[in-house]
């Protein structure tokens, strides 16, 4: 089987069109199309259904794409192992974490890490979904729950606490609630009930206040902690955000300190097979040092 054609097929299947795959491969649309047609002739099967909106994998194409995905993922994994074996700090390091932690906590520290280790090429993948570290979708992750996979090394970085808060402009206009029961008379910023949550119980204050979410005109629902924080800061209503975010904004005032939401433990995780990676070790130690100095 022609390796180059297999590689081109994989890129076309991922991109869903000859044009987009060509942009990645630095080939023209017509050249990519010719390679795929030639590959299909070699195999004696059709890999793609062509239609006006793009390409759709056939059943045989789906089977081949699943196989090529596994092959290329293993190649990336082997490249990582070989890189680690060179005992070098030089090279790429891809880290995944939720967006609000990167924006509000990590990015202010990144310049110091980059100045200390300019040989490491940092990439951040910011998403609430769980990336597969074993398949090298990322080298390491900061996660807001204890990993269940046995093949992941995990280091606890501490706990993230939460605060009930509101913008000072909101409190000036609508007053400050004195107890959890008073929250029923205020506008609350919360997480949508069916949304993918970044950590456990993001709406703990609603539970404590006995507030129903369905058909409630006093709720503003946002499926992004960063956007919730921005809305609260600008006077949209009262909400719960990580304490380090609330403390960072002079426009925000922490209220109802007696209301406590369970803290969330934060973990730095990476695959067992990458335990000898100097890049991962350097970044892990950098995180631990910053947390010891500044906390969350």
């Amino acid at each position: 089987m022609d390796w180059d054609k297999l590689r081109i097929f994989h890129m076309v299947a991922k991109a869903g069109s000859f044009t987009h795959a060509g942009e990645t491969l630095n080939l023209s649309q017509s050249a990519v199309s010719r390679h795929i047609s030639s590959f299909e002739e070699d195999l004696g099967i059709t890999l793609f259904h062509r239609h006006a909106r793009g390409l759709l994998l056939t059943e045989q194409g789906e089977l081949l794409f699943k196989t090529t995905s596994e092959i290329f993922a293993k190649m990336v994994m082997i490249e990582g192992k070989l890189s680690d074996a060179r005992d070098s700090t030089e090279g790429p390091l891809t880290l995944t974490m939720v967006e609000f932690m990167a924006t509000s906590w990590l990015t202010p520290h990144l310049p110091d890490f980059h100045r200390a280790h300019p040989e490491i090429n940092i990439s951040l993948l910011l998403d609430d979904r769980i990336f597969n570290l074993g398949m090298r979708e990322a080298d390491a992750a900061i996660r807001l729950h204890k990993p269940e996979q046995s093949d992941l090394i995990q280091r606890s970085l501490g706990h993230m606490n939460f605060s009930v808060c509101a913008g000072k402009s909101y409190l000036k206009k609508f007053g400050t609630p004195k107890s959890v029961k008073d929250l029923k008379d205020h506008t609350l910023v919360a997480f949508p009930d069916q949304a993918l949550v970044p950590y456990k119980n993001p709406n703990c204050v609603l539970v404590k206040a006995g507030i129903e979410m369905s058909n409630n005109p006093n709720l503003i629902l946002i499926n992004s902690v960063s956007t919730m924080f921005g809305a609260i800061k600008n006077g949209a209503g009262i909400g719960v955000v990580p304490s380090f975010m609330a403390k960072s904004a002079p426009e925000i005032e922490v209220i109802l300190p007696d209301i406590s939401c369970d803290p969330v433990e934060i973990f730095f995780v990476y695959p067992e097979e990458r335990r000898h990676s100097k890049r991962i070790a350097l970044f892990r130690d950098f995180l631990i040092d910053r947390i010891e100095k500044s906390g969350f």
Side-chain angles (χ1 to χ4, degrees):
M1 188 174 291
D2 191 307
W3 178 253
D4 285 336
K5 291 178 182 177
L6 193 67
R7 180 175 61 90
I8 292 171
F9 160 79
H10 181 75
M11 296 306 299
V12 171
K14 283 184 65 176
S17 77
F18 295 138
T19 301
H20 292 153
E23 292 170 354
T24 303
L25 295 165
N26 198 26
L27 294 172
S28 67
Q29 182 269 345
S30 58
V32 174
S33 179
R34 285 196 301 272
H35 278 290
I36 294 299
S37 296
S38 175
F39 193 34
E40 289 176 320
E41 290 178 8
D42 293 344
L43 297 175
I45 58 175
T46 300
L47 297 172
F48 295 98
H49 294 300
R50 280 79 164 168
H51 56 84
R53 296 181 182 178
L55 301 172
L56 184 65
L57 284 166
T58 63
E59 184 177 349
Q60 294 88 347
E62 288 278 7
L63 178 62
L64 183 59
F65 181 55
K66 180 180 178 181
T67 302
T68 59
S69 296
E70 294 172 355
I71 291 172
F72 283 103
K74 288 181 179 179
M75 288 184 62
V76 172
M77 183 170 59
I78 291 170
E79 288 174 357
K81 287 184 177 180
L82 293 175
S83 177
D84 294 344
R86 290 199 299 267
D87 197 32
S88 171
T89 62
E90 183 177 350
L93 178 64
T94 302
L95 179 74
T96 176
M97 61 192 304
V98 292
E99 186 268 341
F100 78 87
M101 280 201 70
T103 301
S104 300
W105 187 81
L106 180 60
T107 49
H109 300 293
L110 280 181
D112 290 339
F113 182 81
H114 181 66
R115 282 191 287 268
H117 302 286
E119 75 281 7
I120 298 178
N121 305 320
I122 284 278
S123 295
L124 295 181
L125 301 179
L126 309 180
D127 204 313
D128 287 343
R129 78 178 180 89
I130 304 301
F131 283 78
N132 190 329
L133 301 184
M135 294 300 290
R136 288 299 303 278
E137 290 186 330
D139 296 309
I142 295 176
R143 290 186 177 168
L144 305 183
H145 65 277
K146 186 177 179 65
E148 297 179 356
Q149 300 96 317
S150 60
D151 58 344
L152 292 180
I153 296 173
Q154 50 188 270
R155 170 66 185 264
S156 177
L157 298 177
H159 290 80
M160 181 169 62
N161 296 306
F162 298 88
S163 298
V164 182
C165 57
K168 292 179 179 178
S169 61
Y170 176 89
L171 297 176
K172 183 178 180 180
K173 187 173 182 178
F174 299 102
T176 302
K178 303 301 181 183
S179 70
V180 67
K181 294 181 180 179
D182 294 340
L183 292 176
K184 293 182 179 180
D185 300 322
H186 286 269
T187 300
L188 303 179
V189 180
F191 238 81
D193 196 27
Q194 302 300 322
L196 176 66
V197 296
Y199 45 77
K200 188 177 179 180
N201 298 330
N203 291 328
C204 62
V205 71
L206 300 186
V207 176
K208 291 179 180 292
I211 295 173
E212 295 291 336
M213 293 190 66
S214 60
N215 300 319
N216 191 333
N218 290 333
L219 295 184
I220 297 175
L221 303 178
I222 304 172
N223 71 332
S224 161
V225 176
S226 293
T227 308
M228 285 176 61
F229 175 67
I232 293 168
K233 184 170 66 173
N234 287 287
I238 297 171
V240 176
V241 297
S243 297
F244 73 86
M245 297 178 75
K247 294 174 183 176
S248 70
E251 305 95 332
I252 280 182
E253 182 175 326
V254 175
I255 61 173
L256 302 174
D258 292 337
I259 298 180
S260 61
C261 294
D262 293 336
V264 170
E265 191 168 8
I266 302 171
F267 294 89
F268 182 77
V269 302
Y270 52 97
E272 168 70 30
E273 66 206 27
R274 304 299 305 281
R275 67 165 49 252
H276 299 298
S277 170
K278 281 196 169 184
R279 294 190 293 278
I280 292 176
L282 285 171
F283 196 78
R284 177 200 62 210
D285 294 344
F286 173 79
L287 289 177
I288 293 170
D289 176 71
R290 288 307 165 106
I291 292 168
E292 288 177 349
K293 290 178 178 177
S294 61
F296 285 111

